[in-house]
Amino acid sequence: MAVQERLERLPYGLGRFTPAWYALAGVLLALVALGAYAYLRQLIEGLIVTGLRDLGTMRGAAWGLYITFDIYFVGVSFAGITMAALIRLLNLEALKPVSRMAELLTIIALLLAGLVILPDLGQPLRGIVNLFVYARPQSPFFGTFTLVIAGYLFASLVYFYLDGRRDAALCAQVPSRLQGFHRLWAAGYRDTPAERQRHARTSFWLAIAIVPLLVTAHSTLGFVFGLQVGRPGWFSALQAPGFVVMAGVSGIGLLLVVAAILRRVLRLQEELTPAVFAWLGRLLLLLIVIYLYFTAVELLTSLYAGHHHEVALTRALLVGEYSALYWVSMGSLVLALLLLVGQVALRAYSIPLLVLSGLLVNVAAIGKRYLIVVPSQTHGALLPYGVGWYAPTWVEYSIILGLFALGTFLYALFVKVFPIVEVPAVQGGKR
Amino acid sequence: MKTTRRTFLKGAAGGLLASRLLGGKLETLTAAPAPAAEAAGEAWVPTTCWIGKQDCGMLARRVNGRLVKLEGNPIHPRNLGTLCPKGMAQIMAVYDPNRLKTPLIRTNEKGVPGQWRQASWDEALSLVAKTLREVRARDPRRLVWQKGRSKASAFYDTAFVKATGATKLHHGAFCSDAGYRACEYTIGLHGVLHPDFRHTRYLLAWGWNLTGAGGNKLCWITWPQQMTAARERGMKIAVIDPRLRGAGPFADRWLPIRPATDLALALALCAEVVRRGAIDRDYLRKHTNAPFLVQPDGYFLRRDGKEQVWDTGSGAPQPYDAPQGQPALEGTFTYEGQILKPAFQVLKEHLAQYSPEWAASICGVPSDHIYWLAQDLIEHAMLGSTVVVDGIPLPYRPVAIMAYHVAQQELGFQLTRALLLLMMLLGSIEAVGGQRIDFTWKLHENFKKLDEIEIKDPPYNIYLKDSKFFPINSNNSALVAKVMQDPAKYGVDTLPEMAIVHMANPVLSFGSKPDIIEGYKKFKFVVVIDAWLSETADLFADVVLPAATLEKYEGPLSATDQYTDAVALRLPPMAPLYQARGEIDIYLDLCEKAELLYGKGGYLDHLNQALKLKGPYALPLDQKPAVRDIFDRWAKSQGLKEGIAYFEKHGVWVKGSIPAKKYYGYAQEPPFGGIRHRLYGESLLRYRDTMRAKGAAEIYWRDYTPLPTWRQPTMEGSPAQYDLYLISYKLIEFKQSRSSFIPLLAELAPEQRLDINPRTARARGIADGDEVWVESHNAVTGETRRVKVRARYTEAIRPDTVGMPHHYGMWVHPWAKGQGPAASELFFTGEGYVANTADQSFHVKVRVYRA
Amino acid sequence: MARYGMVIDLDRCTGCRACVEACKVENNTPRGSFWMHVFRFEEGEFPNTRVWFMPRPCMHCDNPPCAKVCPVGARYKRDDGLVATDWKRCIGCRYCEVACPYGVNCFNWKSPEKNYYLDWQDPELTARTNGAIPPYKNPDLEGRYGPEQRHVAGGGHLKGVMEKCTFCVHRVEKGLSPACVANCPLFALHFGDLDDPDSNVSRLLREKRSFRLLEELDTQPRVHYVGSGHAPGAEARQIEHVKGRI
Amino acid sequence: MRTVLAILMVLCGFALQAVSYFFLAAPLGIPSGPEYSNPRLPLAPLLFILGVMLVFLAAVVYELLPEREQA
C-alpha cells in the first residue's frame, strides 16, 4: 500500500449521528419544508404572494429579499475559496485548519445563491432553459449566471474535491458505512510523492486561476447594479469593488462564526488555535476599514455632488424611512470595528469577541445588501411617481429561512461524513 | 378591488345575490342566446356612446357576436373618432356581471336595503301597469316620472309624460337650471354661457371645469377640442374658480375666488366696464331694454301698454319701437311730474356701489386682478368692429364667458344675469366671437313665459309651480322631497303616490341625501328602470325593470358640435344581455298594459307628434311597432331614403355646417327676431311685490330684484367654527354618481377625497392622506351632517375652501364598495340652500377635523 | 424602413387619461398595469400654482437599458424602432424593470385571468358569457409579429412575465396608430415615422420646441414632448395617483 | 503527456469561452435590432459555460489521469 499513514477509526466523529445531531437536522428540515411550502404557494399564485411590486405607478420594489440574499450568499462565498487560495499561494500554514471549512462555506453559499434566484424568477423553468439557450453576454446577469453560479461554483468544487482526496483516501481505509463514499472521492489516491507533487502544482495553479475569477465574479454582481444609469444609488464605479470588499467582510465574518462553532462541537481546540482566529480578525479589520472608506467616499459624493434624486435617496437612508436599518447596519459594522481595533491594539484576542464581530458584520452585510437593493427602487424613481414601499411577506421570509436551514443542514451533514479539518499526519498507524 | 367570486358573494349578500339564492330561479341568469350565425366573424358596427352626456359616435368592434372594443366614430362631429375615458371603459359596464338581469319585485319593507324575487317581464309590467291605472284614475298628478339626463327626449320625456299626464322631475335643478332660467329670461335662449370658440379671443372660464367635466350643452370632448384649437389661434383664458385643477395648464390668469361670491365679482366687472364707458351703446339701445324709462317705483313707464324711451331729440318719452329718434341711455328726466330714468341709468347708479376694491374684499382676490380682468375684457371686446361671415356683416366682439355648473349656487340666477349683463354691456351677446347660449338662434318659449308668471294661491303642486315661494321654478326634486316631508308648510295638498324613476339615482346623485331619503319614503309605489340596482331602487323600489346599456335603439340624438348640423341614433351592436331590454320597448309594453298605447292621445299618437311623424311616416295608432321600425319611419320622414339603414351604415347623419344666418342672433332679420334682451328685469320686481303681498317670507323674495344685487349668502350665518367652504365638482373619470363601479375607471380615481390646501391642513394637524371628518352646518336650521373622508393636499385650492368630487358613495354595486361617501350627503336643500328659482346650491360651510 | 416614434403635445393634454383606458381595453392589460400612464402634476404654492399633465408611454429608447440587461433577449429592439417584449421567452427576472429609468414595465404578479377586471375564472361569469371568456378579448394579441415572427403583442398573457407598452405593434403592423394615439380626444398624441422628414411627427418636431425625458441618461427615447412645457423637475408633485397596487 | 493534456484543455477552455462570448453568443453593443436578442449559434451560452468548466476540469484530469506505466 502506497499510503504511508493509517487511521484506526474515522476522526472528528464522522459517521456517528448523535441524537443532538438528529434533533438539529429535524429542526432544519422542518424549516426547509416550510420554505418549500412557501415556494409552492408562490408557484401556484405567482409572485403576488410576495411583497414585491412594480416600480412606476405601482410604487413598489421589483427586487427584494430574494435578490438581497442572493448577493449576500454570493458575498459569503467569498470567504472560503479566497482563504484557501491565499493559504495556498502565501503558504499560510497556520491557517490551514480553516481551509476546508471555508471552502465548504463557499460551496454551500453558492448553492444557496443559485437556489434563491429561482423564487425570484417569474418563470423559473424557463429561467433554467432559456439561460442556456439565449443568455446574452451584454447582460450583467450573464456574468452572474456563467461565472458566479457555474464557473465559481465549479472551480470551487474542483478545488475542494482535489484538496480532499488525501483525507478521503485516509478515511477510505477505515471500514464504515461511508467507506464507499470516501473511496469514490479518493479516486485511487495513494499519497505517492508524485501525487503530492502533482496536487501541489494543480492547487497552486488553481489558486492562481481562482483569484481573478473571484474578483470578476463578485464584481459582476456589483455590475448588476452599478451599470444602471437610471437608478440613483446604484450607478457608481465603486459598486463593483464595494461588492468585493463587502463580500470579504461577510465571508470572513461568517467563517469566524462557523470556525468557532466547529471548534466547540468537534473539540478542535488543538487545530483551531486562537492565533487562527486572530489572523482572521485582523483580515476582517482590514476589510472593514476599506469598506468604511468606500462608504464614506460614496456618501460624500452623493451628498455633495449628487442631483436631487441622489440626495433624496441618501436622505431616506440617513434620516428617512430606511434610517433604522441603515444605522443598525452601520452601527454593527462600527461596533465590530471597535471590537477588532481594541483586540489588535491590546494584542489580546478573545474568540467570543471575534465571533461577535463576525455576527455583527453579517447583520451589517444583510442590512447593507437590502439597502443597496431596495431603497433605490422605492426612493429612486427619476420620474415623480412618488415614494414607494416594500415589505417582505411571510412567503419571502419562509423561503429565505428555508434556504438558510438547507445550507446549515448540508454543512452539518458534511461535517458528519467527511473530515472538515485536514486529518493531521499520523505516524505508524497511531495518531 | 379584487373581483374574486368571494368578494362578489360578500358584496351581494343581503342584496341581489341573496334573493337569487332564495328565489332559486337561477336559469334566468344565464347568458343571452348564443350569437346568431350572421354575427360570427368580425365587424365594426356604428352606435352611440351611452355612458356620458353628449352621445358621442362610436364604432363597436364585434368578434363572433361579442364586443371587443369601442372606438370613436371618426365622422361624428362631436368626438371626431375619439372617446373619453368613460366611453372607452364602457365596454366593462356592458359586460358587468352585476347588471340587472331580470325584473325584480320587492319582498321586504321599503326604506331598508331591498330583498327581491325575480319576476317575468309579464308579471312585473302587469303589476306596474295595474298600479299606474289605479293611480291615474284617482288623479294623474299623483304620478311622478323622474329621469336622469335624457337620452332621447322625444320618447321618454315628451311622449310618455304626455300620454300619462305625469309630473316630470328631472335633474336640471342640480345641474345648471338656474343659469338656464336666467338666460331664457334675459336673452330668450335655452342654455347657459359658452363662447363662439372659432372666433373668441378672450374667455372668462367662470368655474369651467375644463379638464374634468366640460360645459353646458356639450360634454367633455367637444368643448376641450374647440378650446385647444382656439388657444392655438391665440385665445387667452382667465379662470375664475376657487380651484385651479379643473382648468389644468390652460389658465393664462387664475382668480381663486371665494366660493359663492361670484356675483360680487361680476357686478364689479360690470361697474368697471360702465365706469370706463366701454359699452356697446348701439346694441344696448336697439336690442335691450336699457333705454326703457323706469319710474321711481321701479316699473317701466308705459303708455297704451307700451314701454317708453326718452327721445333726446324731442325731449319727451316715446314708444320704444318708434322708428325715429335717439333714445337716451343715461340721464334723469322729469316728465309730467315724474322722475324717469332709462334702465341703463338705473343700472349705472346701481353699480356705483360695486367697486373692484369692494369686490376684492368680498371675493378674496386682489383688486388689481379685477382691474386687469376688466382691462382684458375691454381690450378684447373690440367695440365698434365688424366682420363679414357668410357674406353678412356682423359685430365682432371676441370676448365670452364659459359658465355652467357655477350657476348652481344660492345667488346662481342673479349671478347668471350679472354675467349676461357684463356681456351685454360689451355688446358680445350673439356677436361673432362673442357670448353664445344655444347652438342656433332659437327663441325659447320661456322668454315670454317667465315674464308673465301669474303667482297663484295655494294649493300648489308638488314642486311649487307658480307658487309664492319659487315663481320661477326649476323643479328641484330635493325640494320635492322637502315638500313631501311637510306639505302643509308649502300649501301642497296632493302628494304623489307613484314614481317611475328612469335611469336616475336621486338618493345619491342629487343634493341633500338625507332629505331625499325622507321624502321618497312617502311614495307608495316606486318603479325603477335602470341597468343596475341603484341605491334609490335598493331603498324604495317596488319593482325594478332591467334596462339595456348601449345594446338598444335610442334617439334621435343631436350630434352637432355647435358648428355642424348632425343627428345620430343609438343602435344595438348586439342583442341585449340577459333579459334586459331597451327603454322604448319597455315603455311600449308598459303603455300597452296600462291601456295607454293605442288610439288618439295614446303613447303612439304622442310619439308621432314628438317625432313629427306625419302622413305615410306616421305610426298606425292601432298596432305596436318594432322599435327599429319607428326609427326607420323617422329617418325616412327626415328625407333619408335609406331610412335607418343609413345610420346602420354610418352611425351619424352629418348634414353640413350651420350657416351664420341660423347661428348668430345678430344675423336674423330683424336681429334677435326683434325681441329686446332684458337688461332690466321688471317682472322680477313684480314677482317680488306679489310674493310679499301673498305673505311669503323674505328669504323667498329677496333675490327677485330687477337688477342683480349682492347680498351675503345664507351659509355665512353658520358659526365661526365652520370656517371652510365646501365645493363639489366632477372628475373626468366618472359620469355623475353612476360609473364609479366600473373597475377600469375606479382604478384611475379609486376613492373619495377632500381637497385641502396644505396650509389649512397643517394648521389642523392633518397630514396628506389622513382620514378626516367633514362636518357641514345649515345656517337656517342649525342641522349638521358629517362624513369621513381622506384628506389630499393640493396647492391648487384656496386655503379657506375644501373640495369633494361629486361621485362615490354607492353601496349596492359590489365593485363600488369602500370608495368613500358621496359629497351629496353634506349639502343641504331648502331655504338658504337653493336659489330663488329652487335650484340646488352646492355650497356649504364646513369644519374639518381629524378622524 | 420606417422607424416609428411618438410626439406628445403637452399644450394640448388635458390629463383625461382616455389614452390610458384605450390602451387597457385594446391590450387587455390586467389590473394595476399602466402601460400608458398620464401624470398629473402640481407645482408651486397657492396662489402661484401650476397644474399640468404628462402622458408617459414606454419611451422605446434607441439605447434601451432594458434590452441591454435582458439576460435572454426577450426584450429587444425591432428594426422599426419599437422596443418589444417576447412574452414567450421572458423568464421574469425583472431586470428590465429595475434598469428602466421611466418605470414603464408591468410584471404579471399573478395569473392575468385572476387579475383581470372581470374575473375570467369566476364560474358565474363563465356561465353568463356562454363560455366565451373573457367577454372581450382582443383576438390580435396572440399572434406573431415582425419579420422575426415573435410574440410581442398585447398583455395579460401569463403570470410571471414582463409586459409593457408595445406601441400597439399589432395595430402598427396593420397601418393603424397605437390605441392611445388613435383615441386621444385632444389630438395631443402623434405617431409616425421619425426618419421621414414629411411625417406628421417630424413636422411637429420641426415646428415646436421639444424635449425628451431624462435625456441626460442617453437612453435616446423615441418619444418626444413638444409645447411650452418642460420635463418634470424636483418641484413637480404627482397628484391624483392611480390605484397601482394590486 | 499529462501536462500537455491539461494545458490543452485550459487553452481549449479559454478559446471556447472567447469564441462563444465574442462570436457565437448575442452580439455586444447597443441593442439596435432583433439580432442583438439572439445568440448567433443556439446554445452559445452553454458553450461558454463548458469552456469555463473545461479550464477547471483540466486540474481534475491532470491529477486523476491514471499513470500509464502503473496501470
Side-chain angles (χ1 to χ4, degrees), chain A residues 21-41:
Chain A
W21 190 93
Y22 279 117
L24 177 70
V27 170
L28 292 173
L29 288 177
L31 288 174
V32 171
L34 172 69
Y37 170 71
Y39 187 47
L40 191 67
R41 297 291 329 152

Side-chain angles (χ1 to χ4, degrees), chain A residues 6 13 39 53 116 151 173 175 310 340 344 347 422 429:
Chain A
R6 282 223 156 264
Y39 187 47
R53 289 299 181 271
V116 76
Q173 300 160 351
E310 202 79 46
L340 291 168
V344 172
R347 286 174 207 272
E422 201 165 313

Side-chain angles (χ1 to χ4, degrees), chain B residues 1 31 83 97 747 794-795, chain C residues 31-32 42 49 117 128 183 243:
Chain B
M1 197 174 70
L83 291 176
E747 202 172 30
T794 172
E795 292 283 356
Chain C
R31 272 168 197 268
E42 231 180 65
T49 318
Y117 298 86
R128 244 167 297 137
N183 188 58
K243 185 174 185 174

